[in-house]
């Protein structure tokens, strides 16, 4: 049975629990107000950027528990705006390649600011090296996660990739997508099998049931989990804990879930599995 989201966007089976029970419900509650005052999706993204900058400013004083709490609350506000901008775009039918790029730039920009202010406050070469390594790991992990999530959503609808998302053609977007697409080539055999299936809709539904488990675990790569991890590390008095968490556990997690996801695909592409779906 499909779990269709209220706004027709994300499949609830693989969604981050914090999105299901906090971020998206609040974003959805704010949607009528945003529409009433005529805010565009890009304007909401800019509000999110302002909240994110304020969160980074608060985290510059992470040694103060109150500042850490304020930074965490402002980060939650940024995540709510991040959910709301997509809802506004869908409600007003104003989704665009530029909006997609802006959303990604805001997300990465806020994290970069937080990393920079924390590394600056630590003020050591070791701290900067750790922040840079974690930032590089973050970009790779996030691009792979977003690519896998988008792949899951379209396949669950029986789409083998016939309608690629719009592109702005910008260098930043190309670099970001290339990370995902490079690994994603290993997923091409399944997309070809889906395309050649006599019943793509049914094949896609069967795939979604089997791929839900690895994708649900992969959701720990979400921005929400990073926001929570930053808060916990700063509250514990050592931002380095977050960076090590990104470099170590989150890297192992994305590798393990990617392998798991590819194995799910391979089991369906195998003649036995494909025949059982197509007959």
């Amino acid at each position: 049975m499909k779990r269709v989201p209220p706004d027709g966007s994300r499949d609830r089976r693989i969604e981050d629990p914090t999105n299901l029970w906090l971020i998206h419900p609040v974003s959805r509650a704010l949607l009528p107000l945003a529409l009433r005052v005529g805010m565009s999706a890009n304007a909401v993204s800019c509000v999110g950027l302002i909240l994110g900058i304020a969160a980074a400013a608060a985290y510059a004083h992470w040694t103060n528990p109150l500042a850490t709490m304020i930074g965490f609350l402002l980060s939650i506000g940024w995540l709510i705006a991040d959910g709301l901008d997509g809802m506004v775009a869908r409600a007003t039918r104003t989704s665009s390649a530029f909006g997609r790029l802006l959303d990604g730039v805001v997300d990465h920009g806020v994290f970069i600011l937080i990393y920079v202010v924390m590394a600056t406050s630590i003020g050591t070469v070791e701290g900067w090296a750790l922040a840079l390594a974690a930032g590089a790991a973050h970009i790779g992990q996030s691009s792979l996660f977003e690519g896998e999530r988008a792949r899951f959503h379209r396949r669950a609808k029986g789409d083998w990739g016939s309608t690629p998302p719009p592109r702005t053609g910008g260098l930043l977007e190309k670099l970001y997508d290339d990370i995902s697409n490079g690994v994603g080539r290993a997923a091409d055999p399944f997309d070809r099998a889906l395309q050649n299936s006599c019943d793509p809709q049914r094949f896609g539904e069967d795939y979604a049931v089997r791929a839900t488990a690895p994708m649900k675990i992969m959701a720990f790569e979400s921005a929400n989990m990073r926001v929570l991890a930053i808060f916990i590390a700063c509250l514990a008095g050592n931002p380095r804990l977050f960076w090590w968490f990104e470099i170590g556990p989150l890297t192992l997690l994305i590798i393990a879930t990617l392998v798991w996801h590819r194995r799910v695909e391979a089991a369906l592409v195998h003649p036995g599995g494909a025949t059982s779906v197509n007959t």
Side-chain angles (χ1 to χ4, degrees):
M1 179 177 178
K2 293 184 182 179
R3 297 186 190 177
V4 180
D7 62 355
S9 56
R10 295 178 176 179
D11 192 312
R12 292 173 63 85
R13 288 173 293 184
I14 66 167
E15 197 54 74
D16 181 328
T18 59
N19 274 339
L20 287 177
W21 305 112
L22 175 62
I23 304 300
H24 288 173
V26 175
S27 298
R28 204 168 291 116
L30 292 173
L31 179 58
L33 175 61
L35 295 176
R36 189 161 56 246
V37 300
M39 287 190 73
S40 68
N42 291 345
V44 175
S45 294
C46 291
V47 170
L49 177 59
I50 292 170
L51 290 170
I53 292 172
Y59 275 123
H61 307 283
W62 56 267
T63 53
N64 183 329
L66 178 59
T68 294
M69 180 61 71
I70 292 172
F72 180 56
L73 294 175
L74 288 168
S75 296
I76 292 176
W78 153 51
L79 293 174
I80 290 170
D82 185 47
L84 179 59
D85 61 7
M87 294 179 185
V88 170
R90 287 185 290 274
T92 57
R93 299 175 184 259
T94 55
S95 298
S96 66
F98 176 75
R100 174 179 176 267
L101 178 61
L102 177 62
D103 188 53
V105 168
V106 169
D107 288 351
H108 286 292
V110 170
F111 276 115
I112 288 170
L113 283 173
I114 292 175
Y115 287 26
V116 167
V117 299
M118 290 194 302
T120 300
S121 67
I122 292 172
T124 65
V125 173
E126 172 263 346
W128 277 103
L130 200 54
L132 288 171
H138 179 166
I139 291 172
Q141 294 158 5
S142 294
S143 63
L144 291 171
F145 168 55
E146 293 297 337
E148 295 296 292
R149 186 168 66 172
R151 192 172 286 115
F152 177 95
H153 283 138
R154 67 169 172 76
R155 287 172 170 178
K157 300 173 184 176
D159 182 355
W160 57 84
S162 56
T163 55
R167 298 286 189 264
T168 63
L171 177 61
L172 180 62
E173 183 181 51
K174 182 180 183 303
L175 290 173
Y176 187 76
D177 286 342
D178 282 350
I179 297 174
S180 174
N181 294 336
V183 174
R185 290 190 185 96
D188 288 347
F190 179 86
D191 284 329
R192 287 193 293 269
L194 180 61
Q195 180 179 10
N196 295 327
S197 170
C198 63
D199 189 351
Q201 184 69 41
R202 184 181 171 194
F203 197 3
E205 290 173 0
D206 189 42
Y207 154 81
V209 169
R210 302 190 192 192
T212 290
M215 292 304 302
K216 188 73 173 177
I217 301 300
M218 198 184 293
F220 281 93
E221 297 284 349
S222 70
N224 301 24
M225 291 298 135
R226 285 182 166 83
V227 163
L228 180 60
I230 289 171
F231 171 65
I232 292 173
C234 289
L235 206 59
N238 189 358
R240 297 175 184 86
L241 296 174
F242 166 68
W243 291 328
W244 281 119
F245 174 66
E246 262 193 329
I247 294 169
L250 287 185
T251 296
L252 294 175
L253 178 68
I254 194 66
I255 293 171
T257 49
L258 279 171
V259 170
W260 188 0
H261 195 189
R262 295 293 86 86
R263 292 187 67 176
V264 167
E265 295 166 354
L268 286 165
V269 172
H270 185 275
T275 300
S276 66
V277 173
N278 293 332
T279 59

